[in-house]
Amino acid sequence: MYLVKSVGSSLHRTLRTLTTSTSMAATIASAKDPLTGPRYEREPNILKKKLASVVPGTVNLQVLGSGANGAPASVYLFTDQARYLFNCGEGTQRLAHEHKTRLSRLEQIFVTQNTWASCGGLPGLTLTIQDAGVRDLGLHGPPHLGSMLQSMRRFVVLKNLQVQSFDCSEGACFEDSILKVDSLPLISSENPKKCVINYICQLKPRAGALNLLKCVEKGVPPGPLLGQLKNGQDITLPCGTVVRSADVTEASETALSFVFLDVPSVEYLPGLLAHSKRLKKLGEEQLTEVALVLHFTPHLIASCKDYKDFLEENFSPGTQHIHLSSPLNQFSGYAAAHRIQHQLHQLAPQVFPLLGEQMPCQSQSLSLNLKKTKLEDNNAGKANSSQEEEQGVVAMTSFHLRPRKGLDRTLESKLTPEEYVKETHAVPGFTELLAKFKEDYSFPINSADSYPKIIFLGTGSCIPNKTRNVSSILIKTAIDAYVLLDCGEGTYGQIVRLYGSDQGKHVLRQLKAIYVSHLHADHHIGLIGLLRDRRQLEPKAEPLILLAPRQIEPWLEFYNREIETIDDAYTLVANGELMAGPLTGEKVEPLGITAISTCLVRHCPNSFGISLTLAAKHKNENVKITYSGDTMPCQDLIDLGRDSTVLIHEATMEDELEEEARLKTHSTVSQAIQQGRNMDARHTILTHFSQRYAKCPRLPSDEDMQRVAIAFDNMEVTLDDLEHYHKLYPALLAMYAEYTEELEQRAVKRELKQERKRKLVQT
């Protein structure tokens, strides 16, 4: 009886001790634990050190961008303590923000190509993760990645983030406590200097669970010896008995592997086939299992026979496949943009048209190729062949590697238009105001070919958020001509999502000129991608006019020399050259423009404002459109824009933040409105709002808004529309009453805080 009690007591103590030790990893990952608190967000190296020896209990792959409708193709791997990103095209940081994908622990990025489609989001992302507290970033991929970031140093200023680039063209290997990543370089058969990197990733397996009953039988006392056995170490008891870890632990889990394949064209297929033996061996190893293959390969190559045969020969039927950039991927994942557009569309359908990107069909059932099964379900896995018809994926399609749950589509980004509209009608008073507005007035109907027309593609400042992208304004200056004012990250994606794929390509063909106001990243990072896409669409198209600061040349020349040809896609005209005299004549007449003039404005060095005098007339008067770029109130801009038909002016800050605006060389809302009055502009449109005003900016109550409009992404207005825009304000402000009330409360709290500071100074 005593022996049974003793053994039971020992087992109880052992269980209690082991429970404490084995729950450590879960405790560390807990959201309530101090390790994930603010201190460790500010000091990530401390957290990294604490978690270095902890095997992650959660390992998930998330499709961050599916490659559809101007979205990037990118995949995010996250564990309890680390994050990894595979490919980083334009728009990656915006999708991460929208889907609450935290970037504060992202320390390794793997890129398959050094072309803009795969790494165009790096400039914006590095600035964002620097602000999030990341101090060291590993950048893995083809040659020139490090040089590319270095060439952007004029406008991507990394003060606190150290980026170390790793050239994987020789088959480099990355390894940490969580996973091992082997590089598979594919060399072009036509140009040996061109290289694409594929990746084999293998998770470090978790050790088998400690069998407490066996430990008791072997006479192991509670205490640190149990931890040593769990970590795979053999121990010697005080009596001299050796206890082997293998004798008291369960078998380790099978290591899971996943593979990234990117074969951009047929010239890289021989390189892929050369790795066939290596991948086949990986699939045949008993200690690992290839759970998933993620394809960055474009559909044209992925559908060819050689590629399909390669998959069938080298991966088992149980391996699942996710194809990014597939034509079946119909939705970009930017659900918030659709949400606000459906809400604004109720006010004025032609000013706020519904987005033209193809809507995802939520009722589609899963195909066999993306079957929702657990990885342990062998019978289901056998049905899952790479030869089966695939189905599209969208942002937040997930694949759970640990715990082994396999594919998960429950969190996929979806559209629910009825819910978006219902939200606004739940706001007290909105339905009545909307009905009254529609009864009293409707906007004049314009044809799709009406011009001049101003289309706002990005109306936010600094970094994109889910409802406002960074600066970009498209102007239809003639029946067959468009001009772009600034070209922030994701500009081409905004065009495609607004107009749909076919019409978006039509707009790109008719784009004749791009103006870049200054070299801050949020005003021109979308330029390379747009030039590439236009060039691929029309290889022999007439080069467009690029009006930009002369200082942009070194960056464009580097990309053209080291990465891919773009210099035949544009003709550079330096903004400074137009200060002496406007650009006129045959260079601008095909644009429907008679003169383009610039002036220096009060922002960073080499910042410019611009005025366009159009050939089109409105009410028998010349049409003149002036754009401020980023600036404080500026007399030179007033002189440039004298008697403008439309002034488009930045209004970054609310009026109470005038001092902050001055320090950052921006304008407040009232300052921008006053600029319009001072130049006798008929209409003033406010844009470039701080991201603290994601929906609606805080408007001054004492300003006359009859000649003032506020810009939203995907808003398009004609001159006739602007005559009546002010009639929208009652319904618009009612629709976002809760949001604007929150802005007012913030302003009150800010004022109280300032008042306390003033009193402290006085005392």
Side-chain angles (χ1 to χ4, degrees):
M1 182 70 175
Y2 173 78
L3 179 61
V4 172
K5 283 184 177 181
S6 176
V7 171
S9 176
S10 174
L11 182 58
H12 177 73
R13 289 195 304 272
T14 304
L15 281 168
R16 185 172 58 191
T17 302
L18 184 62
T19 301
T20 301
S21 61
T22 54
S23 65
M24 185 181 298
T27 303
I28 287 174
S30 170
K32 297 180 181 179
D33 190 270
L35 283 175
T36 55
R39 179 190 175 197
Y40 291 99
E41 290 299 322
R42 293 193 303 268
E43 303 177 60
N45 288 335
I46 298 176
L47 178 63
K48 186 177 179 181
K49 185 176 180 181
K50 290 276 186 183
L51 296 173
S53 61
V54 179
V55 178
T58 300
V59 182
N60 292 334
L61 277 162
Q62 281 184 348
V63 174
L64 194 54
S66 65
N69 293 327
S74 56
V75 177
Y76 201 52
L77 172 67
F78 71 91
T79 72
D80 298 338
Q81 61 258 40
R83 310 286 191 267
Y84 311 82
L85 182 65
F86 292 84
N87 276 357
C88 184
E90 276 189 68
T92 297
Q93 63 167 330
R94 188 181 181 194
L95 282 168
H97 177 82
E98 170 153 356
H99 299 293
K100 298 180 173 60
T101 303
R102 299 180 69 182
L103 300 171
S104 57
R105 296 183 205 159
L106 175 61
E107 294 189 348
Q108 306 295 335
I109 299 178
F110 299 86
V111 176
T112 58
Q113 302 181 52
N114 56 18
T115 55
W116 201 249
S118 298
C119 61
L122 282 176
L125 188 76
T126 52
L127 292 170
T128 298
I129 64 175
Q130 175 179 246
D131 293 342
V134 177
R135 294 294 171 260
D136 298 288
L137 177 67
L139 185 57
H140 311 258
H144 304 303
L145 286 176
S147 302
M148 184 184 296
L149 279 179
Q150 182 67 14
S151 69
M152 300 180 198
R153 62 188 180 277
R154 179 184 292 273
F155 49 88
V156 180
V157 182
L158 301 178
K159 297 179 180 178
N160 302 318
L161 178 66
Q162 298 296 319
V163 180
Q164 185 175 5
S165 59
F166 299 91
D167 184 348
C168 298
S169 58
E170 299 296 327
C173 175
F174 166 81
E175 187 169 3
D176 61 10
S177 61
I178 298 170
L179 81 164
K180 177 183 177 184
V181 182
D182 286 311
S183 305
L184 293 180
L186 310 185
I187 308 300
S188 166
S189 59
E190 298 178 6
N191 184 351
K193 293 182 179 181
K194 294 171 63 177
C195 175
V196 172
I197 309 298
N198 290 197
Y199 297 100
I200 298 174
C201 308
Q202 183 172 323
L203 289 180
K204 300 292 179 68
R206 297 185 82 181
L210 198 62
N211 189 314
L212 299 183
L213 190 58
K214 290 182 179 179
C215 290
V216 172
E217 291 174 353
K218 296 287 187 180
V220 181
L225 293 178
L226 288 170
Q228 295 177 30
L229 288 169
K230 179 171 175 53
N231 291 333
Q233 302 173 18
D234 298 339
I235 64 168
T236 302
L237 299 177
C239 64
T241 304
V242 175
V243 181
R244 296 173 61 244
S245 174
D247 295 335
V248 294
T249 56
E250 306 297 338
S252 300
E253 71 174 10
T254 302
L256 290 181
S257 297
F258 48 98
V259 178
F260 289 91
L261 295 182
D262 189 354
V263 185
S265 63
V266 291
E267 63 188 276
Y268 293 97
L269 268 174
L272 178 69
L273 300 178
H275 291 296
S276 181
K277 186 179 295 185
R278 183 175 178 183
L279 287 168
K280 193 169 186 177
K281 183 180 178 182
L282 178 72
E284 293 172 349
E285 289 181 7
Q286 294 183 353
L287 298 179
T288 187
E289 176 184 340
V290 182
L292 179 67
V293 179
L294 299 107
H295 303 262
F296 290 119
T297 302
H299 178 71
L300 184 65
I301 305 300
S303 58
C304 75
K305 185 177 184 302
D306 286 347
Y307 192 85
K308 289 182 174 180
D309 290 346
F310 173 84
L311 300 181
E312 188 170 6
E313 292 170 5
N314 293 283
F315 300 106
S316 70
T319 300
Q320 293 206 350
H321 297 259
I322 290 180
H323 290 262
L324 306 170
S325 304
S326 165
L328 296 175
N329 300 350
Q330 298 176 357
F331 180 40
S332 62
Y334 296 98
H338 285 269
R339 179 182 185 179
I340 194 169
Q341 202 70 5
H342 273 281
Q343 294 172 347
L344 293 169
H345 183 75
Q346 301 172 85
L347 303 177
Q350 86 177 28
V351 175
F352 304 107
L354 296 180
L355 303 191
E357 76 167 318
Q358 198 168 355
M359 295 291 211
C361 182
Q362 303 300 339
S363 62
Q364 272 184 313
S365 60
L366 293 174
S367 71
L368 291 175
N369 197 43
L370 283 179
K371 193 168 184 178
K372 187 177 179 182
T373 65
K374 290 188 177 182
L375 297 181
E376 294 96 324
D377 190 347
N378 293 326
N379 292 329
K382 289 177 182 177
N384 183 19
S385 167
S386 63
Q387 295 296 318
E388 296 289 350
E389 182 183 356
E390 72 195 61
Q391 175 168 334
V393 294
V394 298
M396 301 308 287
T397 299
S398 300
F399 196 90
H400 301 284
L401 294 161
R402 185 182 295 153
R404 298 179 60 169
K405 297 179 181 178
L407 191 76
D408 181 3
R409 308 195 73 155
T410 57
L411 297 177
E412 285 185 340
S413 182
K414 300 175 183 178
L415 297 180
T416 54
E418 298 82 3
E419 293 297 323
Y420 306 152
V421 173
K422 193 182 296 183
E423 286 175 12
T424 62
H425 288 277
V427 176
F430 171 72
T431 304
E432 293 76 12
L433 282 168
L434 178 62
K436 186 177 186 308
F437 168 74
K438 290 191 172 181
E439 181 181 341
D440 293 346
Y441 181 76
S442 61
F443 278 76
I445 297 175
N446 298 308
S447 71
D449 293 330
S450 296
Y451 70 92
K453 184 181 288 184
I454 305 171
I455 303 103
F456 289 87
L457 303 174
T459 57
S461 67
C462 192
I463 60 173
N465 69 19
K466 58 186 181 181
T467 53
R468 292 188 185 274
N469 200 44
V470 286
S471 296
S472 185
I473 304 163
L474 187 68
I475 301 182
K476 186 171 187 178
T477 53
I479 189 68
D480 58 353
Y482 289 87
V483 173
L484 193 63
L485 305 181
D486 278 332
C487 190
E489 180 179 345
T491 291
Y492 179 58
Q494 292 286 90
I495 294 173
V496 171
R497 288 187 291 277
L498 174 59
Y499 290 111
S501 179
D502 292 341
Q503 182 62 20
K505 291 175 181 176
H506 179 69
V507 170
L508 197 59
R509 288 188 179 98
Q510 293 189 339
L511 182 64
K512 306 296 184 182
I514 299 177
Y515 165 76
V516 175
S517 61
H518 62 290
L519 294 188
H520 281 165
D522 57 317
H523 289 258
H524 73 91
I525 284 297
L527 177 61
I528 296 285
L530 194 142
L531 289 175
R532 288 181 72 252
D533 288 325
R534 184 176 182 273
R535 186 174 181 270
Q536 291 173 1
L537 195 62
E538 292 285 338
K540 297 182 180 180
E542 188 75 18
L544 54 74
I545 299 172
L546 175 60
L547 300 153
R550 177 69 69 184
Q551 291 74 15
I552 201 173
E553 269 189 313
W555 155 237
L556 296 178
E557 288 173 353
F558 167 85
Y559 191 88
N560 180 76
R561 181 178 66 252
E562 301 292 350
I563 310 300
E564 57 188 329
T565 302
I566 58 168
D567 64 349
D568 57 350
Y570 66 91
T571 300
L572 179 64
V573 177
N575 287 344
E577 295 174 3
L578 304 186
M579 293 175 63
L583 187 64
T584 58
E586 59 182 17
K587 283 190 175 181
V588 296
E589 286 173 0
L591 284 63
I593 293 174
T594 59
I596 301 177
S597 301
T598 63
C599 72
L600 285 170
V601 294
R602 300 171 65 194
H603 191 53
C604 66
N606 304 300
S607 294
F608 293 85
I610 189 173
S611 74
L612 309 174
T613 303
L614 307 189
K617 290 185 179 293
H618 183 252
K619 297 181 178 179
N620 296 321
E621 294 182 3
N622 291 330
V623 175
K624 181 177 179 181
I625 298 174
T626 300
Y627 172 53
S628 68
D630 285 5
T631 182
M632 301 168 65
C634 176
Q635 183 61 45
D636 285 349
L637 183 69
I638 293 171
D639 296 337
L640 178 75
R642 186 74 64 191
D643 298 322
S644 288
T645 314
V646 180
L647 166 65
I648 304 170
H649 201 288
E650 71 117 297
T652 309
M653 307 285 186
E654 60 190 275
D655 289 353
E656 284 81 357
L657 297 176
E658 183 175 339
E659 180 60 19
E660 182 178 342
R662 185 184 67 81
L663 292 173
K664 295 183 177 180
T665 60
H666 285 296
S667 294
T668 66
V669 171
S670 289
Q671 286 174 341
I673 294 172
Q674 189 60 46
Q675 286 278 100
R677 291 196 188 109
N678 291 345
M679 69 173 63
D680 293 324
R682 183 181 301 166
H683 303 287
T684 299
I685 307 178
L686 307 180
T687 188
H688 196 270
F689 301 109
S690 165
Q691 299 297 12
R692 55 168 66 92
Y693 316 115
K695 292 183 179 177
C696 186
R698 186 164 174 256
L699 300 175
S701 57
D702 57 342
E703 289 285 2
D704 178 10
M705 300 293 287
Q706 187 160 339
R707 297 167 67 180
V708 180
I710 56 176
F712 292 87
D713 279 24
N714 306 305
M715 175 179 104
E716 52 182 42
V717 289
T718 63
L719 300 181
D720 288 332
D721 295 331
L722 289 173
E723 298 282 352
H724 307 283
Y725 189 99
H726 64 279
K727 298 174 184 177
L728 293 175
Y729 283 122
L732 178 65
L733 295 176
M735 183 165 67
Y736 293 122
E738 184 178 345
Y739 180 78
T740 53
E741 177 60 28
E742 183 182 333
L743 291 179
E744 293 295 332
Q745 291 174 2
R746 287 186 204 166
V748 170
K749 290 179 182 177
R750 191 168 57 241
E751 180 58 32
L752 290 173
K753 187 176 180 180
Q754 292 296 328
E755 183 63 29
R756 285 195 295 269
K757 285 184 178 179
R758 284 192 289 267
K759 288 181 178 179
L760 283 172
V761 171
Q762 290 172 2
T763 56

